[in-house]
């Protein structure tokens, strides 16, 4: 276990980082370290190339339409193809909110301009305009027998196509589009969701799932020893109790 090392690519950390999304990296690093796994983090900004086989995990956080335009452009020109290839080969990928929207096929922003997404997920997102109600508040969703909790704040409504699965079922909150009852998307080892907060410290079971999938793919064994997790579990339970 001690010599296990994983490589994480953090996509656009300076542009895509709202509501503490960077905390997801801290959480993954810590939960790996406690198990003797070194997580090597590389930041990839606009203009940096992405190699499809360069990482075991990838992460992209959220941002508003202005930043999404810059990132959408870079994905089209530089990183989108490698990102799709990475996911096709089982690389673990977590995207949140604006990052989740851009991991889909397209995002139509509040001003009506359509951005091409990376096309990792068979989904598209439409923002109905600056005057439309934003989907804001604390969200609880049922996921693989457990729960996910976090904070959502998005204008975009995300619609899933047949090529990806919903990640979770909304218990409280809005989720993908405020109507379907679904939150997030899953395709192979790629996960997308609207949960900020950041999501992983509030949902240690999701954090461990990502690490375990990456270990399984890289070393053929995704076993993770349990951690002394009382504080994290209480954070999760407190997040479940928050009412809007
Ligand atoms: N610009 C997007 C929206 O409002 C994403 C917002 C976010 O990442 N918090 O729909």
């Amino acid at each position: 276990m001690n010599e296990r090392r994983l490589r994480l690519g953090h996509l656009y950390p300076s542009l895509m980082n709202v509501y503490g999304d960077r905390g997801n990296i801290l959480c993954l690093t810590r939960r790996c370290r406690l198990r003797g796994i070194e997580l090597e983090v590389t930041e990839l900004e606009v203009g940096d190339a992405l190699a499809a086989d360069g990482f075991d995990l990838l992460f992209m956080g959220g941002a508003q339409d202005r930043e999404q335009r810059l990132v959408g452009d870079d994905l089209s020109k530089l990183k989108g193809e490698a990102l799709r290839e990475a996911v096709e080969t089982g690389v673990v990928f977590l995207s949140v909110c604006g990052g989740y929207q851009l991991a889909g096929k397209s995002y139509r922003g509040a001003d009506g301009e359509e951005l091409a997404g990376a096309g990792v997920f068979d989904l598209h997102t439409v923002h109905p305009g600056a005057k439309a109600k934003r989907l804001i508040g604390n969200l609880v969703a049922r996921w693989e027998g457990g729960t996910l909790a976090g904070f959502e704040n998005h204008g975009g409504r995300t619609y899933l196509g047949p090529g990806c699965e919903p990640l979770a079922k909304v218990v409280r909150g809005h989720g993908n589009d405020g109507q379907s009852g679904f939150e997030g998307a899953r395709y192979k080892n790629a996960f997308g969701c609207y949960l900020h907060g950041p999501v992983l410290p509030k949902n240690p079971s999701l954090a461990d799932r990502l690490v375990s999938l990456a270990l399984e793919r890289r070393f053929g064994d995704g076993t993770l020893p349990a951690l002394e997790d009382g504080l994290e579990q209480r954070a999760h339970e407190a997040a479940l109790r928050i009412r809007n």
Side-chain angles (χ1 to χ4, degrees), residues 1 5 8 18 33 57 61 79-80 85 94-95 98 100 102 105 141 145 147-149 156 163 165 169 178 205 232:
M1 176 68 75
R5 208 166 130 262
L8 181 142
V18 291
R33 193 191 311 122
L57 299 114
K79 298 192 191 56
E85 198 182 319
L94 173 65
S95 57
Y100 167 45
L102 287 180
K105 291 188 161 161
T147 42
L148 294 174
E165 305 275 318
K169 268 187 136 149
S205 62
E232 288 82 350

Side-chain angles (χ1 to χ4, degrees), residues 143-197:
W143 170 71
E144 296 190 2
T147 42
L148 294 174
F151 174 73
E152 61 179 325
N153 181 359
H154 51 111
R157 273 69 167 164
T158 295
Y159 304 99
L160 306 188
C164 64
E165 305 275 318
L167 176 64
K169 268 187 136 149
V170 174
V171 176
R172 234 175 21 249
H174 305 286
N176 281 339
D177 62 0
Q179 310 224 307
S180 65
F182 293 126
E183 156 58 12
R186 171 92 193 257
Y187 173 68
K188 295 197 172 187
N189 289 339
F191 298 72
C193 66
Y194 271 111
L195 300 167
H196 294 288

Side-chain angles (χ1 to χ4, degrees), residues 40-89:
E40 183 188 286
V41 179
T42 303
E43 301 198 334
L44 297 163
E45 301 284 3
V46 165
D48 295 333
L50 168 68
D53 60 355
F55 299 99
D56 307 299
L57 299 114
L58 292 160
F59 171 72
M60 175 156 59
Q64 303 306 325
D65 290 23
R66 193 189 71 81
E67 291 83 10
Q68 283 178 288
R69 222 166 281 133
L70 304 173
V71 167
D73 188 51
D74 188 73
L75 283 170
S76 301
K77 287 189 186 135
L78 198 58
K79 298 192 191 56
E81 203 181 318
L83 185 56
R84 277 193 304 279
E85 198 182 319
V87 168
E88 286 302 325
T89 60

Side-chain angles (χ1 to χ4, degrees), residues 94-111:
L94 173 65
S95 57
V96 175
C97 201
Y100 167 45
Q101 296 172 345
L102 287 180
K105 291 188 161 161
S106 63
Y107 172 58
R108 174 135 53 84
D111 62 1

